[in-house]
Amino acid sequence: MAVNEKILHKVRALLNLAKNGGDPNSNEAQTALLMAQRFMAENGIEEVEVSDQTDRIELKEVLDDYATEFEKLSWWKKSLGRVIGQNFRCYSYLNKRKGYTRLAFMGLKQDAEIAIIAFSFATDYIKVGADQFMKGYRKDYLLRQGVRPSISHQRSVRNNYVEGWISGLEAQYAEQVNKEGWGLVLTKDALVVQTYKDMDLKRGQSTQHTKAESSAGRVAYAKGYSDGKGFRSAHGRLR
């Protein structure tokens, strides 16, 4: 098994373990996305060290692949794609057709494959966390108000939770990068930069929801931020 295939196998195994563990708050789930970044960064360091020692030239392959199908893509998936792309040496971009949108990642083959896996895992994990939070919120709201919250109110509170989760994940990635000194390691490869530039994509408008500034909205954002940032620092090398 090639080195990159070994890395991908371990990332898939780790994320599948966390995803299928049944408990979204388990240690496996909390460390999965950080470990995926660690695998990629450490493998990148090793490849640089090997190249420096042997002066060998390796053929690089750029992968441009989709992480979603064409759909009415939610604002938060676009935001999550940006965070994942920045932390896995990839570009994330949107492809639109007949009112539907799909999200893609472009990077060196191994980096893009890991980014797609991490994006899929994070998407599922956000949905589970938001569902659990909203279940408790609706119950508390009914007890306090005597009625169920409106659909629009629930959507607003849920969006705040999701935005907080993504912000928390981004902050945790930044802490890991700073702690490990991975700033240069996570720089996009020159071939990826040129390939993306040659695509000459049109820059679209960024889409974000309007954050609810109510007390409920602030509580939801804080809980989401805590959950997104709740990944423990990964220790050890799974090689």
Side-chain angles (χ1 to χ4, degrees):
M1 184 181 294
V3 174
N4 63 335
E5 288 299 323
K6 289 172 63 177
I7 297 299
L8 287 173
H9 175 75
K10 289 173 181 177
V11 171
R12 290 191 187 101
L14 178 67
L15 295 180
N16 284 333
L17 174 64
K19 183 176 179 180
N20 298 325
D23 179 8
N25 295 315
S26 65
N27 289 341
E28 290 85 357
Q30 289 178 332
T31 60
L33 289 175
L34 286 181
M35 286 298 290
Q37 186 190 48
R38 177 175 291 276
F39 284 145
M40 185 207 65
E42 290 183 346
N43 187 62
I45 292 172
E46 289 185 357
E47 287 183 346
V48 170
E49 291 173 347
V50 170
S51 296
D52 288 343
Q53 293 171 4
T54 63
D55 292 327
R56 68 179 182 180
I57 299 176
E58 295 186 0
L59 295 178
K60 298 177 181 178
E61 179 181 354
V62 174
L63 177 65
D64 178 10
D65 202 2
Y66 295 101
T68 70
E69 300 296 331
F70 277 111
E71 59 185 79
K72 294 292 185 180
L73 197 67
S74 301
W75 65 268
W76 64 267
K77 289 185 180 180
K78 301 173 187 177
S79 181
L80 177 64
R82 174 188 59 79
V83 172
I84 295 295
Q86 288 177 347
N87 286 282
F88 288 86
R89 292 194 295 234
C90 293
Y91 287 103
S92 67
Y93 70 93
L94 305 177
N95 178 225
K96 298 183 178 182
R97 185 178 68 184
K98 297 181 179 179
Y100 293 90
T101 305
R102 61 183 176 182
L103 184 142
F105 288 102
M106 174 189 287
L108 293 182
K109 184 175 185 295
Q110 176 179 303
D111 297 339
E113 288 178 340
I114 294 178
I116 291 171
I117 295 170
F119 176 86
S120 177
F121 174 77
T123 298
D124 291 342
Y125 195 74
I126 288 173
K127 290 177 180 177
V128 170
D131 286 346
Q132 289 184 346
F133 176 79
M134 291 306 299
K135 181 179 180 180
Y137 178 79
R138 285 190 294 268
K139 182 178 179 180
D140 291 342
Y141 189 96
L142 181 60
L143 289 174
R144 288 184 287 104
Q145 303 293 336
V147 295
R148 292 176 60 85
S150 67
I151 297 300
S152 61
H153 178 78
Q154 291 185 58
R155 184 182 300 114
S156 177
V157 172
R158 184 185 180 95
N159 280 340
N160 273 35
Y161 172 90
V162 172
E163 182 182 5
W165 199 102
I166 295 172
S167 295
L169 175 65
E170 185 172 24
Q172 183 70 332
Y173 272 142
E175 288 183 7
Q176 176 164 267
V177 170
N178 290 334
K179 178 181 178 181
E180 302 292 343
W182 287 342
L184 293 178
V185 176
L186 296 183
T187 300
K188 296 179 183 66
D189 188 88
L191 178 60
V192 174
V193 174
Q194 186 60 50
T195 302
Y196 183 79
K197 182 179 179 180
D198 291 344
M199 291 177 66
D200 194 25
L201 296 174
K202 294 181 180 179
R203 184 177 297 276
Q205 295 181 341
S206 60
T207 56
Q208 290 184 329
H209 82 286
T210 301
K211 186 190 301 183
E213 296 299 338
S214 63
S215 59
R218 289 191 291 270
V219 169
Y221 181 90
K223 174 58 176 171
Y225 187 92
S226 175
D227 288 350
K229 199 172 182 295
F231 298 99
R232 298 179 182 177
S233 297
H235 299 286
R237 296 163 62 91
L238 302 183
R239 293 187 182 276

